[in-house]
Amino acid sequence: MKLHQGMGPNSYRVRIFLKEKAIDVPMVEVDFAKGEHKAPEFLKLNSLGQIPVLELDDRAIITESVAICRYFEETHPEPPLFGSDAVSRAKVEMWNRRAELVIFATIGNVALHSDAFFKDRLTQFPAFAETERRAVPKKWAWLDRELADGRPFLAGDDFSIADITAGVCGWLGDVFGMEIPASLENVKRWNERVRSRRSWNA
Amino acid sequence: MKLHQGMGPNSYRVRIFLKEKAIDVPMVEVDFAKGEHKAPEFLKLNSLGQIPVLELDDRAIITESVAICRYFEETHPEPPLFGSDAVSRAKVEMWNRRAELVIFATIGNVALHSDAFFKDRLTQFPAFAETERRAVPKKWAWLDRELADGRPFLAGDDFSIADITAGVCGWLGDVFGMEIPASLENVKRWNERVRSRRSWNA
């Protein structure tokens, strides 16, 4: 088994997940900056030219970071990071998707449509990036209201993949100059709780 | 238990899923066109003002269509629509996400940034919509190459939620004038296979 991974938020999500599960997987570094993810050899693994990619021993391929995490959840159920019964599994799915669709996608749009790194990779619309940039603090403010009930983690009492996704959103915001607004006390407490975990250094 | 749902691709995905599972859930119609999803009473159910929303008997709330489907997968495992072992569950997650991130998101961007319905709901960037519109046939062409191995469904031999998502992309494309290119034989066969299921009339 090999995990092809490298820079960027999606590989980071998988590395944190593996560290939380204490799973050791051989890794192949894919140099995103050198475009190794678009090389013909790599495109045979993932026709979308994206990392991470999990290559199983029988050469079966799993792409998409959450799909890779789900594979390891199945093979190493403890500690559960996708919930442990019907309601908690649905809540984790809900909060992982809310983190992705509300926060991750907005920060991602800013980066994709304004950062020099993506200039030759897609048609950038800087005005769209600016609209999205102004929306980012509002998205965190929404999460702050949602966390006002004092629960420790997004989906409830237990740390889950939803916290990994949202925590990586905070990290991604730092990278692209969109820090979490300091006035949001609930998000701040949650973020410190997540970032102080040993897995964060993954 | 009540499913708050209405127009649009996400409620449709859940209705198809329920019909595949032969689960009967009382439904509350939310009139998207009248803005009922933004009414104060509804925002108490889902602060994002989006449908569908599943309200359980103890008043617990599940939002996000795939999270709602996952709840029903847990409570009604047969027939499995999220895979049945570690690899197939990961493959279904992978293909559902690929359908969402590659095709659904692109068609969605065209609709959001060009359709009159969304004019007062967000800042539209028509040039972005046009770039995305031109990309849609390329996304289907990518899927056509992926299906060239002759497998009947996106994640393999079995129909899954990934086929529901991608099938609803085809439907959404029809609604917004972006039909699947007729030259894509593999996608065409797969699409006919999916649309001929009884669940499609959900």
Side-chain angles (χ1 to χ4, degrees):
Chain A
M1 184 187 295
K2 278 186 270 191
L3 181 67
H4 301 260
Q5 60 83 46
M7 264 180 62
N10 290 314
S11 294
Y12 189 22
R13 288 160 83 185
V14 175
R15 291 196 308 272
I16 295 168
F17 189 92
L18 291 171
K19 204 154 175 179
E20 287 281 343
K21 292 270 191 186
I23 304 172
D24 205 21
V25 179
M27 298 203 188
V28 179
E29 191 76 20
V30 179
D31 194 332
F32 199 63
K34 281 189 191 157
E36 287 178 0
H37 59 306
K38 302 294 182 192
E41 277 310 300
F42 189 82
L43 292 174
K44 284 183 201 162
L45 298 176
N46 182 1
S47 58
L48 293 172
Q50 295 168 343
I51 50 173
V53 171
L54 181 66
E55 191 177 354
L56 299 178
D57 289 338
D58 66 356
R59 316 277 296 175
I61 294 293
I62 311 290
T63 72
E64 300 300 330
S65 49
V66 178
I68 293 170
C69 292
R70 194 170 291 281
Y71 175 80
F72 288 116
E73 179 82 359
E74 293 284 331
T75 58
H76 297 69
E78 295 298 326
L81 295 177
F82 278 95
S84 50
D85 58 21
V87 171
S88 68
R89 285 191 184 123
K91 291 247 176 206
V92 169
E93 178 87 48
M94 165 186 168
W95 278 102
N96 192 49
R97 288 180 163 266
R98 283 180 149 192
E100 289 177 339
L101 296 166
V102 177
I103 308 176
F104 197 122
T106 309
I107 294 175
N109 280 335
V110 178
L112 288 171
H113 286 277
S114 68
D115 197 82
F117 183 76
F118 299 104
K119 200 166 74 73
D120 301 325
R121 291 173 165 81
L122 73 157
T123 308
Q124 291 184 318
F125 292 94
F128 176 49
E130 288 317 301
T131 300
E132 292 285 88
R133 188 189 296 276
R134 285 193 297 275
V136 172
K138 294 175 197 164
K139 308 287 184 173
W140 286 117
W142 163 79
L143 185 60
D144 198 72
R145 292 191 297 276
E146 288 285 328
L147 291 174
D149 61 7
R151 67 185 189 270
F153 297 109
L154 262 60
D157 287 336
D158 298 316
F159 180 85
S160 76
I161 190 169
D163 299 291
I164 297 178
T165 298
V168 167
C169 290
W171 169 81
L172 195 61
D174 289 351
V175 170
F176 288 101
M178 290 168 274
E179 288 78 12
I180 296 171
S183 60
L184 303 175
E185 292 294 339
N186 301 316
V187 168
K188 200 175 143 189
R189 271 194 296 273
W190 159 82
N191 191 44
E192 283 163 5
R193 195 172 293 127
V194 168
R195 290 203 184 194
S196 63
R197 296 174 79 88
R198 286 189 49 237
S199 61
W200 221 248
N201 181 31
Chain B
M1 183 186 295
K2 277 186 272 190
L3 181 68
H4 302 261
Q5 61 83 45
M7 262 179 63
N10 290 313
S11 293
Y12 190 24
R13 286 160 85 185
V14 174
R15 290 196 309 269
I16 295 168
F17 189 92
L18 290 171
K19 202 153 177 180
E20 288 282 342
K21 292 269 191 187
I23 304 172
D24 205 19
V25 179
M27 298 204 186
V28 180
E29 191 76 20
V30 179
D31 193 331
F32 198 62
K34 281 188 191 156
E36 287 179 359
H37 58 308
K38 301 295 181 192
E41 278 310 301
F42 189 81
L43 292 174
K44 285 183 200 160
L45 298 177
N46 182 1
S47 58
L48 292 172
Q50 295 170 342
I51 49 174
V53 171
L54 181 66
E55 191 177 354
L56 300 179
D57 290 337
D58 65 357
R59 316 276 295 174
I61 294 293
I62 311 291
T63 72
E64 299 301 330
S65 49
V66 178
I68 293 171
C69 293
R70 194 170 293 280
Y71 174 80
F72 288 115
E73 180 82 359
E74 293 284 332
T75 58
H76 297 70
E78 296 297 329
L81 296 177
F82 278 94
S84 51
D85 58 19
V87 171
S88 67
R89 286 193 184 122
K91 290 247 174 204
V92 169
E93 177 87 48
M94 165 185 169
W95 277 101
N96 191 48
R97 287 179 164 267
R98 284 180 147 191
E100 289 178 338
L101 295 166
V102 177
I103 308 176
F104 197 123
T106 309
I107 294 175
N109 279 336
V110 178
L112 288 171
H113 287 277
S114 68
D115 197 83
F117 184 76
F118 299 104
K119 199 165 76 71
D120 301 324
R121 291 173 164 83
L122 74 157
T123 307
Q124 291 185 319
F125 292 94
F128 175 51
E130 288 319 300
T131 300
E132 292 285 89
R133 188 188 295 275
R134 284 193 299 274
V136 172
K138 293 174 199 165
K139 308 288 182 171
W140 286 117
W142 163 80
L143 185 61
D144 198 72
R145 292 191 297 277
E146 288 286 328
L147 291 175
D149 61 7
R151 67 185 189 271
F153 297 109
L154 263 60
D157 287 336
D158 297 316
F159 180 84
S160 76
I161 190 168
D163 299 292
I164 297 178
T165 298
V168 167
C169 290
W171 170 81
L172 195 61
D174 289 350
V175 171
F176 288 102
M178 289 168 274
E179 287 79 12
I180 296 171
S183 60
L184 303 175
E185 292 293 339
N186 301 315
V187 168
K188 200 174 143 188
R189 271 194 296 272
W190 159 82
N191 191 44
E192 283 163 6
R193 195 172 294 127
V194 168
R195 291 203 184 194
S196 64
R197 296 175 80 86
R198 286 190 49 238
S199 61
W200 222 248
N201 181 31

